[in-house]
Short mmCIF file of all heavy atoms in Angstrom, two decimals:
data_model
loop_
_atom_site.label_atom_id
_atom_site.label_comp_id
_atom_site.label_asym_id
_atom_site.label_seq_id
_atom_site.Cartn_x
_atom_site.Cartn_y
_atom_site.Cartn_z
N THR A 812 98.03 102.54 91.99
CA THR A 812 97.69 101.28 92.57
C THR A 812 96.89 100.44 91.61
O THR A 812 97.13 99.26 91.48
CB THR A 812 96.85 101.52 93.88
OG1 THR A 812 97.69 102.31 94.75
CG2 THR A 812 96.37 100.22 94.50
N LEU A 813 95.85 101.06 90.95
CA LEU A 813 95.10 100.29 89.94
C LEU A 813 95.98 99.81 88.82
O LEU A 813 95.87 98.66 88.34
CB LEU A 813 94.03 101.15 89.35
CG LEU A 813 93.15 100.53 88.26
CD1 LEU A 813 92.44 99.25 88.78
CD2 LEU A 813 92.09 101.49 87.83
N MET A 814 96.92 100.64 88.41
CA MET A 814 97.82 100.19 87.30
C MET A 814 98.75 99.09 87.67
O MET A 814 99.21 98.34 86.82
CB MET A 814 98.64 101.45 86.78
CG MET A 814 97.80 102.57 86.14
SD MET A 814 98.56 104.10 85.89
CE MET A 814 99.68 103.65 84.46
N SER A 815 98.89 98.84 89.01
CA SER A 815 99.81 97.82 89.43
C SER A 815 99.01 96.41 89.45
O SER A 815 99.66 95.33 89.59
CB SER A 815 100.23 97.98 90.88
OG SER A 815 99.17 97.68 91.83
N HIS A 816 97.78 96.44 89.07
CA HIS A 816 96.92 95.23 89.22
C HIS A 816 97.26 94.16 88.23
O HIS A 816 97.11 94.39 86.90
CB HIS A 816 95.43 95.60 89.04
CG HIS A 816 94.52 94.38 89.10
ND1 HIS A 816 94.61 93.34 89.92
CD2 HIS A 816 93.51 94.08 88.21
CE1 HIS A 816 93.71 92.47 89.69
NE2 HIS A 816 93.02 92.81 88.59
N ASP A 817 97.85 93.06 88.61
CA ASP A 817 98.07 91.88 87.80
C ASP A 817 98.18 90.72 88.84
O ASP A 817 99.21 90.56 89.39
CB ASP A 817 99.33 91.98 87.00
CG ASP A 817 99.62 90.76 86.10
OD1 ASP A 817 98.79 89.78 86.20
OD2 ASP A 817 100.70 90.82 85.42
N VAL A 818 97.05 90.02 88.91
CA VAL A 818 96.99 88.95 90.00
C VAL A 818 98.03 87.90 89.78
O VAL A 818 98.33 87.20 90.64
CB VAL A 818 95.55 88.48 90.13
CG1 VAL A 818 95.24 87.47 89.03
CG2 VAL A 818 95.31 87.85 91.51
N ALA A 819 98.49 87.72 88.51
CA ALA A 819 99.42 86.70 88.23
C ALA A 819 100.91 87.05 88.41
O ALA A 819 101.77 86.25 88.26
CB ALA A 819 99.23 86.17 86.77
N ARG A 820 101.13 88.34 88.68
CA ARG A 820 102.53 88.90 88.65
C ARG A 820 103.31 88.11 89.74
O ARG A 820 102.95 88.06 90.91
CB ARG A 820 102.43 90.45 88.98
CG ARG A 820 103.76 91.03 89.25
CD ARG A 820 103.67 92.61 89.36
NE ARG A 820 102.71 93.00 90.33
CZ ARG A 820 102.99 93.10 91.64
NH1 ARG A 820 104.16 92.70 92.10
NH2 ARG A 820 102.05 93.50 92.60
N GLY A 821 104.42 87.52 89.28
CA GLY A 821 105.28 86.75 90.16
C GLY A 821 104.68 85.48 90.69
O GLY A 821 105.31 84.86 91.59
N ARG A 822 103.62 85.01 90.06
CA ARG A 822 102.89 83.80 90.57
C ARG A 822 102.75 82.74 89.43
O ARG A 822 101.88 81.82 89.56
CB ARG A 822 101.55 84.15 91.15
CG ARG A 822 101.63 84.99 92.35
CD ARG A 822 100.25 85.58 92.74
NE ARG A 822 100.31 86.24 94.08
CZ ARG A 822 99.35 87.08 94.50
NH1 ARG A 822 98.36 87.51 93.59
NH2 ARG A 822 99.48 87.65 95.63
N GLY A 823 103.46 82.93 88.34
CA GLY A 823 103.29 81.99 87.26
C GLY A 823 102.17 82.37 86.32
O GLY A 823 101.90 83.58 86.13
N SER A 824 101.56 81.50 85.71
CA SER A 824 100.45 81.82 84.80
C SER A 824 99.23 82.26 85.61
O SER A 824 99.19 82.08 86.89
CB SER A 824 100.01 80.58 83.96
OG SER A 824 99.48 79.62 84.77
N LEU A 825 98.26 82.82 84.94
CA LEU A 825 97.01 83.23 85.58
C LEU A 825 96.28 82.06 86.27
O LEU A 825 95.84 82.16 87.42
CB LEU A 825 96.01 83.91 84.63
CG LEU A 825 94.74 84.41 85.09
CD1 LEU A 825 94.93 85.37 86.27
CD2 LEU A 825 93.95 85.07 84.02
N ARG A 826 96.26 80.95 85.55
CA ARG A 826 95.59 79.72 86.11
C ARG A 826 96.40 79.30 87.35
O ARG A 826 95.82 78.85 88.34
CB ARG A 826 95.58 78.67 85.03
CG ARG A 826 94.66 77.47 85.48
CD ARG A 826 94.54 76.46 84.26
NE ARG A 826 93.82 77.14 83.18
CZ ARG A 826 92.53 77.10 83.04
NH1 ARG A 826 91.76 76.58 84.01
NH2 ARG A 826 91.93 77.59 81.99
N GLN A 827 97.72 79.31 87.33
CA GLN A 827 98.53 78.92 88.45
C GLN A 827 98.27 79.87 89.57
O GLN A 827 98.18 79.44 90.78
CB GLN A 827 99.98 78.87 88.09
CG GLN A 827 100.41 77.77 87.20
CD GLN A 827 101.78 77.89 86.68
OE1 GLN A 827 102.31 78.96 86.50
NE2 GLN A 827 102.43 76.71 86.48
N ALA A 828 98.20 81.17 89.37
CA ALA A 828 97.97 82.11 90.49
C ALA A 828 96.67 81.89 91.15
O ALA A 828 96.56 82.01 92.32
CB ALA A 828 98.08 83.57 89.86
N LEU A 829 95.57 81.55 90.35
CA LEU A 829 94.29 81.45 90.91
C LEU A 829 94.04 80.09 91.50
O LEU A 829 93.02 79.89 92.23
CB LEU A 829 93.24 81.73 89.79
CG LEU A 829 93.19 83.19 89.24
CD1 LEU A 829 92.30 83.25 88.05
CD2 LEU A 829 92.91 84.18 90.31
N ALA A 830 94.94 79.14 91.21
CA ALA A 830 94.75 77.78 91.70
C ALA A 830 94.84 77.74 93.23
O ALA A 830 94.27 76.78 93.87
CB ALA A 830 95.81 76.81 91.13
#
Side-chain angles (χ1 to χ4, degrees):
T812 299
L813 177 59
M814 292 170 76
S815 79
H816 174 51
D817 179 358
V818 77
R820 175 172 53 83
R822 294 167 171 161
S824 68
L825 179 57
R826 191 174 294 275
Q827 288 171 328
L829 296 175

